[in-house]
Amino acid sequence: AAVKARADWVVTSSIAVELIEHLDSNGEKILWAPDKHLGRYIQKTTGADILLWDAACIVHEEFKARGLQDMRALYPQAAVLAHPESPAAVLEMADVIGSTTQIIAAARRLPNPEFIVATDQGIFHKLQQEAPDKRFIIAPTAGIREVRNVFPSRGHGLSCSRRNHQEKSKKR
């Protein structure tokens, strides 16, 4: 909250690319906080010169590319849907990278019968409502070793909506 109080702009992932393109075209200097993964994704997408804050959402930080690679082998027909706050290695494996709204739209639109989803677990209830004939699987994290299928969410797990960001502390 303290960082947001000092910010010139507070945005969601759904409008971040458009805003950064605008600011960059106006020659604005950009310090991106609090999520370095989303900032890196925006930087790569727009080509803007962005100074990234060294912090990340603890929910998205947990998604691991190695586990995702193993899961793709188990579910070869599944598309991977990822939020841009996920680490770069996870985004490189994603079929769709997008905001919550964009992920839901992709699940409705794509023909895949299954989806591996790398984002806040709070989305799963809405995904099941919007595409009840499809199967949604939680992307593997450091703390989740077993495959978990999600049908209507029961609210378990961390939520990014609480804006759990951790700044990397440098020990001297």
Side-chain angles (χ1 to χ4, degrees), residues 3-5 7-12 15 19:
V3 171
K4 287 183 178 181
D8 293 316
W9 297 89
V10 178
V11 301
T12 65
I15 65 165
L19 175 65

Side-chain angles (χ1 to χ4, degrees), residues 131-151:
D133 56 324
K134 298 185 179 183
R135 182 178 183 197
F136 299 97
I137 305 159
I138 299 170
T141 66
I144 298 175
R145 301 227 187 283
E146 77 281 359
V147 172
R148 289 198 283 171
N149 298 312
V150 174
F151 293 99

Side-chain angles (χ1 to χ4, degrees), residues 1 3 7 13 20 23 36 51 56 61 85 88-90 108 114 122 130 137 149 151 153-154 158 164-165 168:
V3 171
S13 58
I20 294 306
L23 294 174
K36 67 182 177 184
L51 178 60
E61 178 82 358
E85 287 185 9
V90 170
R108 283 192 311 253
E114 301 172 320
E130 295 291 325
I137 305 159
N149 298 312
F151 293 99
S153 173
R154 289 167 181 77
L158 289 172
N164 296 307
H165 287 82
K168 304 278 183 180

Side-chain angles (χ1 to χ4, degrees), residues 92-154:
E92 288 171 11
M93 298 178 70
D95 296 295
V96 174
I97 300 168
S99 67
T100 300
T101 302
Q102 293 163 339
I103 287 173
I104 293 167
R108 283 192 311 253
R109 180 183 75 250
L110 294 174
N112 304 68
E114 301 172 320
F115 295 90
I116 300 167
V117 184
T119 193
D120 182 341
Q121 291 184 29
I123 192 176
F124 284 90
H125 180 73
K126 186 69 173 173
L127 282 168
Q128 196 63 52
Q129 286 180 319
E130 295 291 325
D133 56 324
K134 298 185 179 183
R135 182 178 183 197
F136 299 97
I137 305 159
I138 299 170
T141 66
I144 298 175
R145 301 227 187 283
E146 77 281 359
V147 172
R148 289 198 283 171
N149 298 312
V150 174
F151 293 99
S153 173
R154 289 167 181 77

Side-chain angles (χ1 to χ4, degrees), residues 2 4-5 14 21 24 28-30 32 39 43 66 88 91 106 109 128 132-133 140-141 143 157-158 163 165 170:
K4 287 183 178 181
S14 62
E21 285 174 340
D24 188 51
E28 298 284 341
K29 301 285 185 197
I30 302 166
W32 186 271
Q43 187 176 45
R66 175 60 196 260
L91 297 181
R109 180 183 75 250
Q128 196 63 52
D133 56 324
T141 66
L158 289 172
R163 304 315 306 166
H165 287 82
K170 302 211 181 350

Side-chain angles (χ1 to χ4, degrees), residues 49-69:
D49 183 18
I50 301 173
L51 178 60
L52 301 174
W53 193 272
D54 193 19
C57 169
I58 63 173
V59 173
H60 292 100
E61 178 82 358
E62 284 292 305
F63 294 116
K64 303 300 176 197
R66 175 60 196 260
L68 184 56
Q69 184 178 16

